[in-house]
Amino acid sequence: MSAALVPDIAAKPEQPAAANAGAIELLGLTRAEIAAKLIEAGETEKAAKMRANQLWHWIYYRGARDFSVMTTLAKDLRERLSQHFQVGRPGASKDLKSTDGTRKWLLKFADGEEAEAVHIPEEDRGALCVSSQVGCTLTCRFCHTGTMKLVRNLSPAEIVGQVMLARDCLEEWPSPKDGRMLSNIVMMGMGEPLYNFDNVSKALKIVMDNEGISISKRRITLSTAGVVPMIERCGAELDVNLAISLHAVRDDIRDVLVPLNKKYPIAELLAACAKYPGLSNARRITFEYVMLKGINDTPADARELVRLLQGIPAKVNLIPFNPWPGAPYECSSNNTINQFSEIVFNAGYSSPVRTPRGRDIMAACGQLKSASVKRSKADILREQAAKQAALEAEVQA
Ligand code: SAH
């Protein structure tokens, strides 16, 4: 936790171009929705489908944000498009780089709310940890994000926008076939993706589309604390890899660590996992298990974990607890973690101990938290009144 911050000033992402007032955002729309918007703006039905495909290519394959560079479109069309539409990005009010190369963006959305995205580079690839909500409703006891109140769900544009922004910063346009540093996506940022599934699903379908960003479903992992009724839909609709934040092997302990367990207890959760489509030894569910000193880390817990996972193609990620200010837990000792890992490994499951990444910039698992807080309706009205008064004062001056 002591390493110094290394702000990456040189590579600071551009702030989004000033929003074109009233312009319709194309990011996050399906091809059919883009075509429909084009028709509304005066394009013929026949041409709209083809134009939507061309726009798709420019937006998601080339990363273009400005219509003037879209040279396969006629000049007058480009001008008309820029009057009606825009292709934006989330703003980044902070861009921090850890001493280990991990990079964290504090994203600022159009309404001022904030969430975080984290890039975790490896030698020849890298994962982007994407947020699905501003804040989180789950209040897991060991998670920093859980101390925030949910402000709101992120829209498809705001979810896919995180990938676009990271691509901009990593200079990975046009979408490279090989050697990408943004090769994998993990839905493990702020929020519970299965509580914002419609928007997450729409965004991930865009990310997977072969003619655009083209990251395959095998390189995408969605992590859930266990929203059981949505697991089946996730498999049927997206078929991405699944990770489960398990963290305890007994309901009485998991009820405290992950309060969602009171609604969907361990047995129900594991039954839903066993039914996840396409499971095999080559495609396993990842069970995340945070190591908390004296809470969930005994050899008996490890043996019970092995018993519970029986019959499910599974691997276990042991995550040393990442501390945050005021956290009520401590990380288990290295010895305890290694012993736990060995028991799981000897039972035939891969059980790597995750090296924490980006702890110095509070970018590691469970350390994400933005300043967004839930505001009451009265607060919002007060803010609006203050803004209005300031505007009026300006006009009078
Ligand atoms: N809501 C989803 C997505 C968030 S993923 C889910 O719960 O899976 C974030 C991961 O980091 C989860 O596995 C979470 O349990 C884990 N985590 C949260 N706080 C942590 C901490 N302080 N140290 C280590 N891991 C933590």
Side-chain angles (χ1 to χ4, degrees), residues 220-275:
I220 298 178
T221 301
L222 184 147
S223 179
T224 177
V227 186
V228 167
M230 296 303 294
I231 289 178
E232 189 181 345
R233 204 178 139 201
C234 177
E237 213 168 289
L238 295 176
D239 199 24
V240 293
N241 302 320
L242 188 66
I244 301 288
S245 294
L246 189 65
H247 306 315
V249 292
R250 281 177 22 206
D251 281 321
D252 58 338
I253 298 175
R254 195 164 190 269
D255 281 350
V256 176
L257 297 180
V258 183
L260 183 65
N261 193 67
K262 290 186 230 157
K263 209 163 173 188
Y264 307 117
I266 294 173
E268 276 181 41
L269 176 57
L270 294 179
C273 289
K275 284 193 270 174

Side-chain angles (χ1 to χ4, degrees), residues 98-311:
S98 157
T99 47
D100 69 16
T102 301
R103 187 164 172 180
K104 178 171 90 168
W105 295 275
L106 178 63
L107 310 162
K108 193 166 193 145
F109 301 108
D111 64 355
E113 298 301 358
E114 294 178 318
E116 295 180 317
V118 178
H119 179 247
I120 307 139
E122 306 287 344
E123 189 105 327
D124 54 356
R125 63 202 162 95
L128 185 70
C129 180
V130 171
S131 291
S132 56
Q133 299 178 313
V134 172
C136 191
T137 53
L138 295 179
T139 62
C140 298
R141 280 281 281 158
F142 52 90
C143 179
H144 204 195
T145 310
T147 65
M148 285 175 73
K149 288 186 183 148
L150 170 71
V151 175
R152 63 174 177 81
N153 283 334
L154 294 182
S155 69
E158 290 166 337
I159 297 168
V160 86
Q162 297 172 49
V163 181
M164 307 295 280
L165 175 77
R167 270 274 179 90
D168 293 347
C169 294
L170 297 167
E171 298 181 18
E172 293 202 332
W173 299 115
S175 289
K177 275 239 162 331
D178 305 305
R180 299 176 179 192
M181 286 312 283
L182 202 176
S183 55
N184 293 56
I185 303 263
V186 291
M187 293 302 305
M188 295 187 184
M190 288 176 155
E192 170 49 53
L194 294 189
Y195 273 155
N196 183 20
F197 187 68
D198 287 341
N199 293 352
V200 166
S201 172
K202 208 169 162 194
L204 289 183
K205 283 177 188 159
I206 292 173
V207 167
M208 291 189 273
D209 188 287
N210 275 335
E211 283 151 41
I213 301 170
S214 189
I215 296 181
S216 104
K217 62 183 183 181
R218 296 284 171 257
R219 291 177 177 271
I220 298 178
T221 301
L222 184 147
S223 179
T224 177
V227 186
V228 167
M230 296 303 294
I231 289 178
E232 189 181 345
R233 204 178 139 201
C234 177
E237 213 168 289
L238 295 176
D239 199 24
V240 293
N241 302 320
L242 188 66
I244 301 288
S245 294
L246 189 65
H247 306 315
V249 292
R250 281 177 22 206
D251 281 321
D252 58 338
I253 298 175
R254 195 164 190 269
D255 281 350
V256 176
L257 297 180
V258 183
L260 183 65
N261 193 67
K262 290 186 230 157
K263 209 163 173 188
Y264 307 117
I266 294 173
E268 276 181 41
L269 176 57
L270 294 179
C273 289
K275 284 193 270 174
Y276 198 71
L279 291 185
S280 69
N281 277 344
R283 194 184 185 222
R284 299 160 188 257
I285 293 182
T286 303
F287 289 87
E288 294 151 282
Y289 198 97
V290 62
M291 299 299 295
L292 302 170
K293 189 184 234 162
I295 305 285
N296 62 357
D297 61 353
T298 64
D301 289 318
R303 286 191 291 274
E304 178 60 7
L305 178 61
V306 167
R307 195 189 67 79
L308 286 175
L309 295 183
Q310 223 163 41

